[in-house]
Amino acid sequence: MTDYVAYGMANRVPAVLDPPTARRLAQLADRATLGMGLTSGVTHAEFFLTEHGPVISEIACRPPGGHIFDLIELTWGINAWDLYLSCLLDEPVHAPRRPMACAGNLIFHPHEGRITRVRGLARVNRLPGVLTFRHTLKVGNTIGRRTSLGQMKGVVTVVSPDPAVVQRSLQHAIALIRIETSNSP
């Protein structure tokens, strides 16, 4: 299970959930999967946690986006694409019971327009647990309209044994990275 540190832009694996909530989400995902008639393969389910309990927002017969498979590998030490292929082929899968670490990422895409200023990038690499920081941001580049969450101009990946460190570093990266475009609000 994963959770959002910032909805639609920063994920963390594994999710920080109390055991009853984690069990309930797994049960709901199983019910939705079986309700679609699936008995093998991979589904990607998303839930909102409300004051009245979990509410499913999406379920699809596909792996997750947002580089989550990379985070699964960093967290569990398994190749998630190999695991995915085994599921598609209805082969038995074996995964570790406990994560080795917590991992998270921030995926960003600035507002459309010409980049006029970029700030805060140098400080991101100094945040605790930052494993990688890749981007294609340069003043003068033109950014197109974002039409899906799969589009990105950069990603920050953080790994730590402590989920709180991952959360704080991702939140700090969000606060640090400032990209101004000719169409910025």
Side-chain angles (χ1 to χ4, degrees), residues 71 102-105 128-132 156-160 165-166 169-170:
L71 299 180
C102 180
N105 64 22
V130 170
L131 179 67
T132 59
V156 177
T157 304
V158 179
V159 179
S160 173
V165 169
V166 173
S169 288
L170 292 172

Side-chain angles (χ1 to χ4, degrees), residues 2-7 9-17 71 101-106 127-130 156-176:
T2 69
D3 60 5
Y4 281 117
V5 171
Y7 183 71
M9 63 189 300
N11 299 292
R12 178 175 52 184
V13 177
V16 177
L17 298 167
L71 299 180
C102 180
N105 64 22
L106 164 64
L127 292 171
V130 170
V156 177
T157 304
V158 179
V159 179
S160 173
D162 184 351
V165 169
V166 173
Q167 179 171 338
R168 281 192 306 273
S169 288
L170 292 172
Q171 289 170 331
H172 286 140
I174 292 167
L176 287 171

